Amino acid sequence: MTRPLWEIANDLTRLRAEKRAAKSQTFKPGHVRSRSFKPEGEGQRQPRERDPGFLAFLRRQPCAAAHVGGCSGPIQAAHIRYSDVKAGSVNPGIGRKNHDRFATALCEAHHIHGQHRTNERAWWASIDRDAYETAAALYAAYSAGEAA
């Protein structure tokens, strides 16, 4: 059975209109949804605490893994991603960074190819450092106004 051309054209027009309507309802980055974010609510994620001054301070420090050698590239602020109850840090989740105060100074080689390519906790143990103690010491130095 064949359909008349005018029916097919009407169907195409209707489908295009439906597609445009559906596209306007999709959420885009930065779009505010109708549900409000309540950080004080139980089970809600707390907003990430940012400190651009501390990150700039970290980039002026030596690599925390320099004692094992193999440093290359610029120093980067490496956010610690594993949980440590003693340090008061919970894993922020996949694709999310921890608070800036839980960051250390690592060169590009150790940050990208060391910390993020293996089990992070095991990598820090392999270089004989505690990531959270290192981050706490750096944050204390930053808060005290010490320079590199």
Side-chain angles (χ1 to χ4, degrees):
M1 175 168 121
T2 59
R3 294 174 51 196
L5 206 48
W6 62 271
E7 273 185 20
I8 295 171
N10 285 346
D11 287 344
L12 284 173
T13 303
R14 179 181 51 79
L15 289 171
R16 285 185 188 121
E18 289 174 4
K19 185 177 179 180
R20 277 192 302 273
K23 195 181 259 187
S24 68
Q25 293 176 359
T26 59
F27 293 110
K28 294 179 175 61
H31 185 276
V32 178
R33 298 179 188 210
S34 60
R35 286 189 350 207
S36 64
F37 175 73
K38 298 178 183 173
E40 70 279 354
E42 190 173 326
Q44 293 289 322
R45 292 180 187 258
Q46 297 296 319
R48 181 174 154 225
E49 296 170 12
R50 297 172 185 260
D51 191 343
F54 178 59
L55 299 182
F57 172 80
L58 285 179
R59 292 183 190 105
R60 295 189 304 268
Q61 303 305 307
C63 177
H67 63 284
V68 296
C71 288
S72 69
I75 298 297
Q76 300 175 348
H79 290 80
I80 305 164
R81 297 190 187 244
Y82 67 88
S83 297
D84 189 345
V85 177
K86 291 185 301 180
S89 174
V90 178
N91 185 333
I94 294 176
R96 299 181 65 124
K97 287 184 182 174
N98 210 337
H99 301 301
D100 286 350
R101 72 176 182 272
F102 297 125
T104 60
L106 290 175
C107 68
E108 183 177 27
H110 288 121
H111 184 201
I112 303 300
H113 303 294
Q115 182 194 20
H116 291 309
R117 297 275 167 117
T118 61
N119 176 319
E120 186 175 358
R121 186 186 304 264
W123 182 80
W124 280 100
S126 75
I127 65 166
D128 200 28
R129 290 279 167 103
D130 182 292
Y132 284 103
E133 285 178 9
T134 304
L138 286 166
Y139 196 73
Y142 165 72
S143 297
E146 292 179 22

